[in-house]
Amino acid sequence: MKNSIKRTTRFLCGGATGLSLGCALLATPAMAQEAGADTSDDTIIVTATRRSEALSDVPIAVSAVTGETLEKTGATDVRALGQVAPSLLVSGATSEVNFTARIRGIGTVGENPGLESSVGLFIDGVYRSRTGVGLSELGDIERVEVLRGPQGTLFGRNSTAGLINIVTKGPDLGGFGAKGSVSYGNYDYWRIDGMINAPLGEKAALRVDGVWQQRDGFIKNATPGEPDINDRDRWLARGQLLLEPSETVKLRLIADYSERKENCCGGVLLNPVRNLARGADGFPVASANTLLPILQILGSNHQVPPLGTSFVRRQATTPGVTYRSDTKDWGASGEVNWDLGGASLTSITAYRDYKNAQGQDADFSALDVLRRTDLDRRFRLFTQELRLQGEAFDGRLDWLVGGYYANEKLDVDDDIVYGNNYEQFANCLLFASALPSAVLPTNPFCVNVPVVQGTIGALPPGATRSLLEALIANPARPGFGSLAAALGQPTLAINGTGNQGSRFAQRSRNYAIFTHNSFDIVPDALTLTIGARYTSERKTLDADANFNNAICPLIVNSPFQSLATLPCVINGTAPDLPRGSAGTVFKDNEWTGTAVLSWKPTPDLLVYGSASKGYKAGGFNLDFSALDRTCNVAFDTACAARLALPANSSGNGRPEASDLQFASEKVDAYELGIKYDGPGFDLNIAAFYQEYSNYQLNTFNGVNFEVTNIQACKDDLGGADSDGSAATGACAANRLKPGVRSKGIEIEAFLRPARYVSVNMGLTYVDTLYRRNLVGTGGRPLSPVLFQLPGRGVSNAPRYVATAGISWTPPIGGSGMSALVYLDTRLQSDTNTGSDLDVEKIQDGFAVFNGRLGLYGPDRRWGVELWGQNLFNKKYYQIGADMPLQGGGTFRAVAAPAASGLSGTANQLFVGFPGEPRTYGVTLRGRF
């Protein structure tokens, strides 16, 4: 397809990967200049649609950042991209392997490896199956590109929210070269990186990159002798070979290996710390928290923030229990580009092996309640992509057809157990609800036995008296230990029991065919683009349950089954689920596509409209706690009704593999856009509307993770989706509609007001919310944990985000030296960081500023830079959650009418996962 380009052009976005996605709305000519270079008015050529076109001719909403801009803002991995891409947010909680990317307010909570990312991630053309897998050091980067909205007709893997493409710098046939840098900063930060490029004759070149980084933790550990938390200790080595045996064939081979051995990620106690009770007028009344003093006496040593402060960067951990995160990530890929004359063929073959071993103080305190030492996740992924593209009808038709195949092996095993203080802790919680006057935290079992005995003596025969008698059946071990004795197991252990290496093995096969075709209805003015994709997905599951917390099944199958919640926090009733048994196979086949009409009324102006359908596969919730708990008709009056439900249905009192399944996520998206490419000023505006069906939500309920597909019902549920009942509010399958809607507008502007000066600005307004009359997977009633969702905004979707950056790169006289003055900022509005939307988890709006000052020698042979990130040391947290097992309730539940069935009291403690503090330092650079 031939486009008229009046100004001088340059190819910024070529390269062996062929995955250029628009190459730099943020890397406009000004942003892409070397320090000290003059700002020109060149037109950038991009390949966002796999074709070389002027940026102003590409009808796609895309942001991108050059490696130089990333260097200026101090970004070394994907997490920092949001500083310069307003529609993108990358955040996480308990481990970096679980970090999540969101675009336009949509993303998949990453704490469960069974859920794939809503935002696809590609590095050098190779798909990474989870966002957190790509958070390692990236080395020398050519550019990072963010494509917004559902994708699938141009790339190997489909996604529903958008795509991040990272292109590293490849070998250069032009000559020998080397460069490196050394950085030092506060928190004893060190970073060393280097590169060597060597031609091997005229048709081959070799490039080797290396990075090493180390930093102390920024969360101070209040436990003596224990290491500070959220540190850095990582390195990367990457080798590349470029071969061009002829003018028509190019081959790029890449192999890389990286390691991380870090203590990450800790969580801090959040304000508010309080009790709430429903007042006479229905409004919540606050008072001092009654749970925290008990926990402190037990030894939690929670670091309580002062009033008016969200948190302090300080946490206590159990001695000997760390947040170790040991990662090994390696892979190899080969990309072939072959010009066949009438068409060109691209092949990308890759294999990735990612393994993470994690420890965790899972109660986020010095009290030994829950801990793990070796949660293992391993992803082994083979992918093959083929694309064939060319032109027809004298260049009026650009056509592309492609195929994709992926085979993934995912293995997860866990060893979370009850800590040495669990029995005492659980007894405290039990008696705090059953007989508060008997709570005695200074007692090894947290029970004042004489108080219980006195209470029993004053009670008539009945269920309450029988329960209290069972709880002190062995006065030397009151509480759950006595309960075990009353059931014939007086020596039954609780502390130290739990998950003894239970394992999930998921195998996934995905293949797809896709096409993307653009036809000039009116040459150089009116273009119609049509794309389509067919995807076939198959996943199988094998689960090996290995639990030794015998207290759980003992109580479940007893008259005291109503007390099973605390003994069964770790699900001791879970069975094995052998591959091939009922419910262990997930299959799905789906057609998706896109249609775009674009019009260029003038050479500098593009107007376009698009409609597209996106898809993300379903699968399995890899958490044994999601299985239905067994029930016993002899002791549970509701058990018979549950057992009467059909096999493989939710809540039927039988743990089955189908309990773990969730459906595929789908989206219908519509977009209108304008792009103006003028002299010294570029403007891009996109307005969008998106509807998500079977939105995949992963929520922590204070005990474990719940995965459900969010839908809305066409019928009025009469408020049954926001009450405290798990049985009301179902919807017929033929009355379902999309449950999540996202709409908004994105504005990006780029100015070159003077020589050596460039300015970029971005503003995103996003209204991403849940509809009313919500239901769960297949129309089931919405879980009471999610009662706040109907009609409210999706978590981690700030309504407003603004970014701005200014760069001044003047020469210094006629010396050949140059300077750099750079400052950028990201401002976002209030954000609810909890997936259950508790108001206590709202992070107030804030701004983060980064800056850099530099001095460079002639031809940038050397450089010295002073830099700072989060210059004003803004304290903010990325994710808020319920502190595990430490309280219950929330403001909106207490504020709800008593008829709702929601709890009228609350004493929940909350944990937050803080963003990085102010960091600053110096960098020395050299090259030859």
Side-chain angles (χ1 to χ4, degrees):
M1 186 173 296
K2 301 177 176 65
N3 294 297
S4 175
I5 301 175
K6 295 184 178 181
R7 294 188 295 271
T8 305
T9 63
R10 58 189 172 87
F11 285 81
L12 176 63
C13 298
T17 66
L19 269 176
S20 179
L21 300 178
C23 200
L25 288 184
L26 289 176
T28 54
M31 295 298 289
Q33 300 300 312
E34 294 291 326
D38 194 359
T39 299
S40 66
D41 196 28
D42 297 343
T43 296
I44 297 178
I45 302 298
V46 300
T47 56
T49 56
R50 310 291 196 184
R51 305 161 181 95
S52 296
E53 299 177 276
L55 176 61
S56 58
D57 295 337
V58 178
I60 289 177
V62 57
S63 298
V65 188
T66 62
E68 184 192 1
T69 301
L70 289 172
E71 202 172 82
K72 291 175 182 177
T73 194
T76 59
D77 58 35
V78 175
R79 290 177 302 176
L81 281 178
Q83 189 71 12
V84 285
S87 292
L88 174 68
L89 176 66
V90 181
S91 60
T94 61
S95 171
E96 287 193 348
V97 70
N98 299 327
F99 269 56
T100 299
R102 293 173 173 84
I103 293 178
R104 293 174 171 173
I106 297 295
T108 302
V109 176
E111 296 292 329
N112 192 316
L115 282 79
E116 298 178 11
S117 303
S118 296
V119 177
L121 175 64
F122 288 80
I123 299 178
D124 288 325
V126 177
Y127 176 67
R128 305 293 179 94
S129 57
R130 306 295 186 275
T131 303
V133 171
L135 283 180
S136 58
E137 282 286 339
L138 298 171
D140 208 2
I141 298 173
E142 181 72 31
R143 61 190 176 275
V144 177
E145 305 156 339
V146 181
L147 200 60
R148 308 191 291 272
Q151 308 300 320
T153 63
L154 283 167
F155 302 91
R157 189 67 169 178
N158 41 283
S159 62
T160 53
L163 184 146
I164 302 172
N165 178 50
I166 299 171
V167 182
T168 65
K169 290 187 177 180
D172 183 3
L173 298 175
F176 181 85
K179 68 175 183 177
S181 70
V182 178
S183 300
Y184 180 76
N186 60 333
Y187 294 98
D188 200 22
Y189 170 80
W190 284 96
R191 187 177 191 273
I192 301 172
D193 66 77
M195 176 280 297
I196 297 176
N197 182 88
L200 306 176
E202 297 181 352
K203 297 183 178 181
L206 177 70
R207 179 185 174 115
V208 177
D209 290 81
V211 181
W212 173 79
Q213 183 184 150
Q214 196 172 80
R215 186 200 67 194
D216 292 343
F218 64 80
I219 297 180
K220 294 297 181 181
N221 199 324
T223 301
E226 294 299 312
D228 292 339
I229 309 165
N230 287 22
D231 62 2
R232 292 278 181 89
D233 187 356
R234 56 183 63 178
W235 62 271
L236 162 78
R238 180 172 57 241
Q240 301 182 66
L241 178 64
L242 176 63
L243 299 172
E244 295 187 9
S246 70
E247 294 183 356
T248 60
V249 177
K250 179 183 290 187
L251 171 64
R252 184 183 181 187
L253 301 175
I254 306 174
D256 65 85
Y257 181 90
S258 66
E259 282 193 10
R260 285 183 283 174
K261 292 186 177 181
E262 300 174 346
N263 186 30
C264 185
C265 302
V268 297
L269 181 66
L270 295 179
N271 265 328
V273 178
R274 65 189 178 191
N275 274 16
L276 294 173
R278 188 176 290 138
D281 59 357
F283 193 80
V285 177
S287 59
N289 189 278
T290 53
L291 177 60
L292 181 63
I294 296 174
L295 296 176
Q296 299 292 60
I297 293 172
L298 291 176
S300 65
N301 195 19
H302 277 306
Q303 302 298 292
V304 183
L307 289 175
T309 303
S310 293
F311 63 88
V312 292
R313 296 190 183 104
R314 205 166 55 243
Q315 178 196 347
T317 61
T318 301
V321 182
T322 69
Y323 293 94
R324 80 172 183 105
S325 182
D326 297 343
T327 300
K328 294 181 179 180
D329 180 22
W330 67 273
S333 65
E335 178 175 343
V336 179
N337 288 279
W338 188 7
D339 185 350
L340 303 175
S344 60
L345 176 68
T346 299
S347 170
I348 303 176
T349 307
Y351 178 79
R352 303 294 315 175
D353 190 339
Y354 180 94
K355 183 164 61 174
N356 174 263
Q358 180 184 345
Q360 185 183 43
D361 188 341
D363 52 82
F364 303 99
S365 75
L367 192 63
D368 193 10
V369 177
L370 292 170
R371 55 183 161 92
R372 54 168 50 98
T373 58
D374 194 23
L375 167 60
D376 295 319
R377 301 181 183 94
R378 188 178 187 185
F379 300 86
R380 288 170 288 175
L381 178 64
F382 171 81
T383 58
Q384 174 63 57
E385 181 177 356
L386 288 171
R387 299 192 307 269
L388 184 69
Q389 64 188 103
E391 293 185 348
F393 305 115
D394 295 325
R396 294 184 66 179
L397 172 66
D398 275 347
W399 57 267
L400 179 149
V401 294
Y404 178 78
Y405 172 81
N407 187 299
E408 181 182 71
K409 297 178 180 179
L410 168 57
D411 296 284
V412 179
D413 64 76
D414 196 4
D415 68 347
I416 189 168
V417 296
Y418 299 134
N420 292 326
N421 301 128
Y422 188 80
E423 185 174 346
Q424 182 189 27
F425 169 82
N427 288 340
C428 284
L429 298 186
L430 172 63
F431 277 91
S433 60
L435 187 62
S437 60
V439 175
L440 185 60
T442 56
N443 178 274
F445 297 98
C446 200
V447 181
N448 189 325
V449 174
V451 170
V452 180
Q453 291 171 333
T455 303
I456 291 172
L459 288 174
T464 301
R465 177 170 179 161
S466 297
L467 173 60
L468 291 177
E469 288 174 340
L471 289 174
I472 59 168
N474 178 4
R477 190 187 174 191
F480 282 108
S482 283
L483 205 60
L487 295 172
Q489 299 286 334
T491 61
L492 188 68
I494 299 176
N495 294 344
T497 68
N499 194 332
Q500 303 298 305
S502 297
R503 178 185 60 87
F504 285 106
Q506 178 179 287
R507 303 294 180 256
S508 173
R509 185 272 299 149
N510 169 286
Y511 71 81
I513 54 174
F514 53 91
T515 183
H516 194 89
N517 310 281
S518 297
F519 181 74
D520 268 356
I521 300 172
V522 178
D524 299 327
L526 187 64
T527 302
L528 175 65
T529 300
I530 299 292
R533 179 190 184 94
Y534 174 78
T535 302
S536 176
E537 188 85 35
R538 186 177 190 271
K539 296 180 179 179
T540 64
L541 182 69
D542 181 79
D544 178 18
N546 187 13
F547 298 90
N548 69 347
N549 54 318
I551 185 70
C552 174
L554 179 67
I555 293 181
V556 166
N557 293 289
S558 80
F560 308 111
Q561 55 82 30
S562 61
L563 302 180
T565 298
L566 286 168
C568 294
V569 164
I570 300 173
N571 187 2
T573 67
D576 293 343
L577 302 171
R579 196 181 310 276
S581 60
T584 59
V585 177
F586 172 88
K587 295 181 180 179
D588 203 6
N589 302 294
E590 190 69 26
W591 281 98
T592 54
T594 186
V596 185
L597 185 65
S598 58
W599 176 46
K600 287 186 68 69
T602 70
D604 294 336
L605 182 65
L606 171 71
V607 181
Y608 68 91
S610 69
S612 57
K613 295 180 70 69
Y615 163 85
K616 178 166 74 89
F620 299 96
N621 175 7
L622 303 184
D623 187 345
F624 284 101
S625 296
L627 293 168
D628 280 349
R629 189 188 301 162
T630 56
C631 66
N632 191 315
V633 293
F635 309 113
D636 185 353
T637 57
C639 183
R642 294 203 295 272
L643 292 175
L645 294 172
N648 299 309
S649 60
S650 177
N652 65 4
R654 300 188 290 277
E656 300 161 317
S658 58
D659 298 337
L660 305 179
Q661 283 201 20
F662 55 90
S664 301
E665 180 178 289
K666 301 175 184 178
V667 58
D668 294 314
Y670 308 91
E671 185 174 308
L672 293 173
I674 299 175
K675 294 186 176 185
Y676 174 71
D677 180 17
F681 175 69
D682 300 333
L683 179 67
N684 304 295
I685 302 175
F688 60 90
Y689 183 89
Q690 304 172 153
E691 291 185 321
Y692 285 81
S693 300
N694 281 322
Y695 178 73
Q696 296 170 0
L697 179 64
N698 185 35
T699 304
F700 184 66
N701 61 20
V703 178
N704 51 50
F705 286 94
E706 296 185 16
V707 177
T708 190
N709 292 104
I710 299 296
Q711 290 276 68
C713 190
K714 296 178 182 178
D715 303 318
D716 187 356
L717 299 179
D721 57 342
S722 55
D723 62 18
S725 172
T728 59
C731 184
N734 63 352
R735 301 296 295 166
L736 297 175
K737 66 178 183 179
V740 173
R741 185 265 295 150
S742 176
K743 65 179 181 180
I745 187 168
E746 300 159 322
I747 303 173
E748 293 177 312
F750 310 92
L751 297 83
R752 299 169 290 280
R755 296 184 70 187
Y756 316 117
V757 177
S758 62
V759 179
N760 69 84
M761 296 178 289
L763 175 65
T764 296
Y765 167 79
V766 176
D767 184 16
T768 301
L769 56 77
Y770 296 104
R771 286 206 161 99
R772 299 188 182 276
N773 300 309
L774 292 184
V775 292
T777 303
R780 302 170 192 163
L782 194 68
S783 167
V785 173
L786 307 177
F787 79 96
Q788 299 173 86
L789 269 59
R792 292 191 171 94
V794 173
S795 65
N796 283 287
R799 183 157 291 190
Y800 296 97
V801 177
T803 61
I806 183 169
S807 178
W808 181 38
T809 56
I812 299 177
S815 65
M817 298 173 63
S818 59
L820 167 68
V821 178
Y822 176 82
L823 181 70
D824 67 36
T825 184
R826 174 188 171 100
L827 167 67
Q828 70 177 47
S829 59
D830 294 357
T831 306
N832 196 315
T833 65
S835 52
D836 57 5
L837 301 185
D838 288 346
V839 294
E840 292 88 347
K841 300 166 188 173
I842 293 176
Q843 166 63 57
D844 292 339
F846 65 96
V848 171
F849 292 82
N850 296 340
R852 189 169 296 256
L853 300 173
L855 177 66
Y856 306 96
D859 300 321
R860 294 177 64 95
R861 295 292 184 184
W862 58 266
V864 180
E865 298 170 350
L866 300 176
W867 49 265
Q869 294 175 273
N870 193 359
L871 290 169
F872 298 104
N873 200 26
K874 177 62 184 178
K875 288 203 297 186
Y876 65 95
Y877 54 93
Q878 307 170 83
I879 298 291
D882 294 350
M883 191 75 78
L885 304 182
Q886 295 169 62
T890 180
F891 180 90
R892 288 198 185 107
V894 178
S900 68
L902 296 166
S903 175
T905 61
N907 65 348
Q908 179 67 56
L909 301 181
F910 300 94
V911 60
F913 299 90
E916 296 197 353
R918 174 170 52 215
T919 55
Y920 52 85
V922 60
T923 297
L924 306 178
R925 302 187 185 277
R927 64 191 303 172
F928 63 90

